[in-house]
């Protein structure tokens, strides 16, 4: 990757992180390496715009993230969505990041499942002027895009030289295939099954300590 600018490139990975797992962390790190990002900011959403409310509270999800990335020099938790009222719209987050980092290349990371929903997002056409989009592609994953999104993808596809631009291109990188989802982890915990090696041990300990994702008993 050739980057002629001297402003560090910043990655952003938004999500519910309910809970954070190795599927988020390893794939995020794959992109950090491939794009030589200076940092990856993990941004937990307060109230997701496109799904049911999370099981764990915002503070619990933030704490799990902090434990998960502890001591990694390039990963950090960015809690700006938790400090904002109302639904968490990515475009608002990017506007706020752009104010903080006016000259840095910003890269918004997302899985293919998330990218395929992009046209349903609030003010989605305003995202690319604020940041690059990086689609994390998992081998063998179906890549089904609407005509509108295929066109958007083709028209804005990046070439390697575009890495020093501040925003405006769509990138697609193969990442480590990890068939892990937070939904599957919550389901396992609800059944009382073992979740080791799906997420960091420190996060599992906190889940146990706070009795998260357990079946509700009559008294709870
Ligand atoms: P849930 O199962 O509750 O929907 P999730 O595991 O998909 O959650 P999110 O917090 O919703 O996690 O995802 C945040 C981002 O991480 C999304 O862009 C999603 O596409 C991506 N992502 C989640 N799991 C993986 C994975 N195993 N590999 C690559 N990307 C992932």
């Amino acid at each position: 990757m050739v980057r002629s600018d001297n402003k560090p490139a910043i990655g952003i990975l938004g999500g519910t992180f309910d809970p954070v797992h190795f599927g988020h962390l390893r794939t995020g790190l794959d992109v950090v390496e491939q794009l030589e990002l200076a940092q990856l900011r993990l941004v937990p959403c307060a109230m997701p715009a496109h799904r049911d409310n999370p099981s764990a509270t915002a503070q619990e999800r933030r704490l799990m993230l902090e434990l998960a990335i502890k001591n990694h020099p390039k990963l950090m938790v960015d809690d700006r969505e938790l400090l904002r009222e109302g639904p968490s719209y990515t475009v608002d987050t990017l506007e706020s990041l752009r104010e903080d980092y006016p000259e840095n290349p910003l890269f918004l990371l997302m899985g293919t499942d998330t990218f395929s929903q992009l046209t349903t997002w609030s003010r989605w056409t305003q995202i690319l002027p604020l940041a690059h989009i990086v689609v994390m592609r998992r081998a063998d994953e179906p890549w089904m895009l609407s005509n509108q999104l295929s066109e958007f993808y083709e028209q804005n596809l990046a070439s390697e030289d575009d890495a020093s631009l501040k925003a405006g291109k769509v990138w697609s990188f193969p990442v480590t295939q990890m068939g892990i989802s937070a939904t599957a982890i919550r389901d396992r915990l609800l059944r009382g099954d073992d979740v080791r090696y799906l997420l960091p041990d420190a996060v599992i300990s906190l889940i146990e300590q706070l009795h998260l994702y357990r079946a509700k008993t009559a008294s709870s």
Side-chain angles (χ1 to χ4, degrees), residues 14 16-17 21 24 51 111 113-114 138 178 180-183 186:
T16 319
F17 302 114
H21 54 71
H24 301 124
R51 50 181 288 165
D113 51 336
T114 306
R138 294 162 258 185
M178 306 198 87
I180 305 176
S181 73
T183 305
R186 291 194 302 274

Side-chain angles (χ1 to χ4, degrees), residues 24-198:
H24 301 124
L25 298 167
R26 182 59 248 172
T27 55
L29 213 47
D30 286 339
V31 176
V32 167
E33 288 167 358
Q34 293 184 77
L35 274 169
E36 295 178 4
L37 303 180
Q39 54 172 251
L40 176 63
R41 307 177 80 86
L42 298 153
V43 186
C45 61
M47 210 189 289
H50 289 99
R51 50 181 288 165
D52 296 340
N53 282 337
S55 299
T57 66
Q59 305 321 325
E60 288 162 348
R61 291 180 291 116
R62 172 171 48 189
L63 198 51
M64 288 189 277
L65 269 171
E66 277 164 2
L67 289 173
I69 62 162
K70 204 166 169 218
N71 300 328
H72 194 289
K74 291 194 170 181
L75 302 185
M76 61 191 67
V77 182
D78 182 325
D79 63 1
R80 69 188 65 219
E81 292 190 358
L82 304 183
L83 305 174
R84 225 168 42 214
E85 295 283 312
S88 302
Y89 293 124
T90 301
V91 67
D92 297 330
T93 304
L94 293 175
E95 275 171 352
S96 147
L97 279 160
R98 196 35 97 200
E99 272 174 32
D100 292 352
Y101 302 99
E103 300 303 330
N104 298 63
L106 297 180
F107 290 88
L108 176 68
L109 279 54
M110 61 185 78
T112 39
D113 51 336
T114 306
F115 181 69
S116 60
Q117 302 297 319
L118 190 70
T119 52
T120 66
W121 289 18
S122 172
R123 296 188 282 138
W124 76 274
T125 54
Q126 292 173 33
I127 289 181
L128 217 47
L130 290 163
H132 297 280
I133 291 176
V134 181
V135 187
M136 304 186 285
R137 295 186 65 174
R138 294 162 258 185
D140 303 333
E141 197 177 38
W143 178 242
M144 298 285 286
L145 296 180
S146 64
N147 289 344
Q148 187 185 21
L149 210 47
S150 292
E151 210 171 292
F152 171 79
Y153 179 79
E154 298 295 337
Q155 276 175 0
N156 297 295
L157 199 56
S159 61
E160 198 167 325
D161 295 346
D162 295 329
S164 41
L165 298 177
K166 289 196 313 183
K169 294 289 173 184
V170 180
W171 304 72
S172 160
F173 286 113
V175 290
T176 309
Q177 171 114 9
M178 306 198 87
I180 305 176
S181 73
T183 305
I185 291 173
R186 291 194 302 274
D187 288 347
R188 292 186 78 86
L189 287 163
L190 201 60
R191 292 195 302 265
D193 289 348
D194 196 345
V195 292
R196 276 176 299 176
Y197 317 126
L198 296 171

